[in-house]
Amino acid sequence: MNTTPTNPPPSTARSTKTFLITGVSSGFGRAIAQRALADGHVVVGTVRHAEAAQDFERLCPGRAHARLHDVTALALAAPLVTAIEAEVGPVDILINNAGYGHEGILEESPIDDLLRQFQVNVFGAVAMMKAVLPFMRGRRSGRIFNTTSMGGFITMPGITYYCGSKFALEGLSEALGKEVADLGITVTAVAPGSFRTDWAGRSMVRSGRSIADYDAIFDPIRARRQAVSGRQLGDPALAAGVIVDLAVGAALPPAHLLLGSDALGLVQQKLASMNESIEAWRAVTVSTDAPLE
């Protein structure tokens, strides 16, 4: 099925929304952009290369607007959004999609890899949120979607840095949502499971292996991930439809949204295990309270 949109008849001003999506060259970002364009909306998408910008704007001339931006250039996020507001129009919906996966055992992975992971997956997203918030707050209207991961709820050996970044983005999203709830702004952390994107392929950064003690736990996981790459359960086009529909049509989008049956099952297992552990250690937990006077 061809998901490249044609130019539909213009929508009314009230129904047409302007999306700002980071990382629209491929994966979720591309799928969300294509769906939003197909539904008649305006999309400003960030890319890192001129060729990618031209490719994106060809999707729908006049409504697909590319902007060159590296999310790690934190100081450039505010000028970028200010220019978009002036040149394209008010940003109704921000979708922080840019990010990547890091594979590596913590002890083997350089600290620089951790800094880079957080720079892209966390700090870049925060910079974009800070850039759009003054405009959304002034209009008392706006929606923010942050693409996290089921790795922001559960953990797996060998993607420790990645899970850390996604746990951080989940927490930031939830707390921000409470800060802006009375200002007409909603924040949703979208946590996909395994989808047919490039996450486990060319997009993933891998630290080298050096400690044999970790082979038994890590090697089977890496082999499994590589074996299913491209054949995961999740369909990015279906996820894109859910996100665009929520962004445009939901009266109150959820603070957290899992996507994919694998994410649902694994997160439910995690929550059940956590609750069991909390109950098992209840006596120790409450033993640290000061006596009532």
Side-chain angles (χ1 to χ4, degrees):
M1 177 180 177
N2 183 10
T3 56
T4 301
T6 57
N7 283 308
S11 302
T12 64
R14 179 170 295 175
S15 63
T16 300
K17 301 296 183 181
T18 297
F19 285 69
L20 171 55
I21 307 174
T22 62
V24 295
S25 294
S26 62
F28 279 119
R30 185 65 157 221
I32 296 167
Q34 288 178 319
R35 173 57 187 265
L37 290 167
D39 286 356
H41 302 294
V42 174
V43 178
V44 182
T46 72
V47 295
R48 291 189 295 168
H49 306 290
E51 297 82 359
Q54 295 171 5
D55 177 63
F56 179 69
E57 291 190 339
R58 280 195 292 266
L59 288 176
C60 190
R63 286 195 290 109
H65 305 273
R67 294 293 184 271
L68 294 176
H69 181 63
D70 184 333
V71 295
T72 64
L74 306 181
L76 298 182
L80 171 71
V81 171
T82 299
I84 291 169
E85 289 266 339
E87 297 164 6
V88 180
V91 174
D92 301 297
I93 299 149
L94 168 66
I95 297 182
N96 271 316
N97 165 78
Y100 70 95
H102 174 273
E103 183 184 78
I105 294 291
L106 184 143
E107 187 179 355
E108 296 177 331
S109 300
I111 289 291
D112 283 349
D113 285 1
L114 176 63
L115 294 173
R116 174 68 179 175
Q117 181 80 116
F118 271 68
Q119 190 83 351
V120 175
N121 291 4
V122 182
F123 304 150
V126 171
M128 293 300 297
M129 288 188 278
K130 289 174 71 67
V132 301
L133 280 171
F135 296 100
M136 290 182 173
R137 183 165 45 79
R139 291 188 288 267
R140 289 298 192 266
S141 176
R143 294 194 165 173
I144 296 172
F145 289 79
N146 293 325
T147 303
T148 66
S149 167
M150 66 178 177
F153 287 91
I154 66 167
T155 60
M156 296 180 184
I159 53 170
T160 313
Y161 287 177
Y162 178 76
C163 289
S165 73
K166 294 304 185 179
F167 266 73
L169 190 54
E170 282 282 340
L172 285 162
S173 300
E174 182 179 301
L176 173 62
K178 294 175 180 178
E179 292 174 348
V180 299
D182 294 332
L183 303 176
I185 303 167
T186 65
V187 183
T188 301
V190 180
S194 298
F195 275 75
R196 295 174 187 176
T197 67
D198 290 329
W199 181 84
R202 65 179 179 86
S203 295
M204 179 168 277
V205 173
R206 294 177 169 86
S207 293
R209 295 298 323 284
S210 58
I211 304 174
D213 285 344
Y214 294 112
D215 290 354
I217 192 169
F218 181 69
D219 289 351
I221 293 174
R222 170 178 277 181
R224 169 64 178 165
R225 184 177 295 122
Q226 292 175 339
V228 302
S229 182
R231 297 186 292 108
Q232 296 94 330
L233 281 172
D235 183 338
L238 296 178
V242 167
I243 293 168
V244 172
D245 288 347
L246 275 177
V248 173
L252 184 63
H256 300 276
L257 177 67
L258 299 173
L259 292 179
S261 59
D262 55 345
L264 177 63
L266 289 168
V267 172
Q268 286 180 327
Q269 290 175 25
K270 167 69 177 289
L271 295 175
S273 176
M274 281 187 67
N275 189 60
E276 182 179 335
S277 178
I278 289 169
E279 290 301 318
W281 290 92
R282 175 186 289 273
V284 174
T285 298
V286 301
S287 71
T288 58
D289 292 353
L292 294 176
E293 296 181 359

